[in-house]
């Protein structure tokens, strides 16, 4: 459900970049064959569903952060954002905590990451997660007082964090 306010929150200078990324994701989704399903049943999203997850996440950039939040109207924390996007885009439930997300699906090498995969940050006890959207970028709900935003995995802060990827 989109109420139209998400687009109003985007800064005008971010919109062309966001639209360009969405166009690239759509083109990649059309050109990529679906990945084979693993025997374990984990990582069962098709390439199309994974791209839908990424595009939906990009559309929520600018939504306010709220601890425990899991809707666009009420705001999001990082796991609430992931649960909402996966539920609405792929009809898939996700664990509510980052620690449980770290064991969901199957691990993916960062060199093999694709749009829609989860990126999880933290060493022994993961503390933050986001949705990879391609081109080295991910969407996440970072902290109190902030908004859902698009960041780079190779950015100064995130490149220093222990990172894993999971495919649901």
């Amino acid at each position: 459900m989109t109420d139209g306010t998400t687009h109003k929150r985007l800064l005008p200078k971010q919109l062309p970049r966001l639209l360009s990324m969405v166009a690239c994701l759509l083109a990649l989704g059309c050109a990529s064959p679906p990945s084979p399903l693993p025997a374990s049943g984990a990582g069962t999203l098709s390439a199309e569903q994974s791209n839908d997850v990424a595009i939906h996440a990009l559309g929520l950039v600018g939504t306010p952060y709220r601890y425990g939040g899991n809707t666009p109207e009420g705001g999001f924390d990082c796991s609430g954002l992931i649960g909402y996007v996966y539920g609405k885009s792929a009809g898939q439930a996700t664990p509510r905590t980052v620690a449980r997300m770290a064991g969901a699906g199957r691990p993916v090498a960062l060199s093999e990451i694709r749009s829609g995969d989860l990126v999880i940050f933290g060493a022994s006890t993961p503390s933050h997660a986001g949705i990879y959207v391609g081109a080295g970028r991910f969407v996440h709900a970072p902290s109190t007082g902030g908004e859902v935003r698009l960041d780079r995995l190779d950015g100064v802060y995130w490149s220093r964090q222990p990172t894993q990827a999971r495919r649901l």
Side-chain angles (χ1 to χ4, degrees), residues 18-34 47-48 50-52 54-55 58 115 133:
L18 184 61
L19 291 174
S20 174
M21 184 174 286
V22 169
C24 288
L25 287 172
L26 287 172
L28 287 172
C30 295
S32 304
E48 182 180 354
S50 295
N51 283 332
D52 289 347
I55 290 167
L58 284 165
S115 295
V133 296

Side-chain angles (χ1 to χ4, degrees), residues 78-79 82 95-104 118-130 157-158 161-166:
C78 67
S79 58
I82 291 166
R96 184 59 177 107
T97 66
V98 172
R100 288 196 175 151
M101 284 180 189
L118 298 184
V119 286
I120 300 173
F121 302 94
S124 59
T125 304
S127 58
H128 191 62
Y157 179 79
W158 297 110
Q161 304 305 309
T163 307
Q164 64 172 299
R166 308 290 299 186

Side-chain angles (χ1 to χ4, degrees), residues 67-81:
Y67 180 77
N70 59 8
T71 66
E73 300 79 20
F76 291 110
D77 65 11
C78 67
S79 58
L81 171 69

Side-chain angles (χ1 to χ4, degrees), residues 137-160:
R137 295 174 181 255
F138 67 104
V139 172
H140 65 121
S143 62
T144 302
E147 296 179 335
V148 173
R149 69 181 190 219
L150 182 64
D151 271 327
R152 296 191 57 82
L153 287 173
D154 64 0
V156 173
Y157 179 79
W158 297 110
S159 65
R160 295 180 182 163

Side-chain angles (χ1 to χ4, degrees), residues 31 53 88 101 106 116 127 132:
V53 165
K88 296 293 183 183
M101 284 180 189
R106 66 178 174 91
S127 58
Y132 186 75

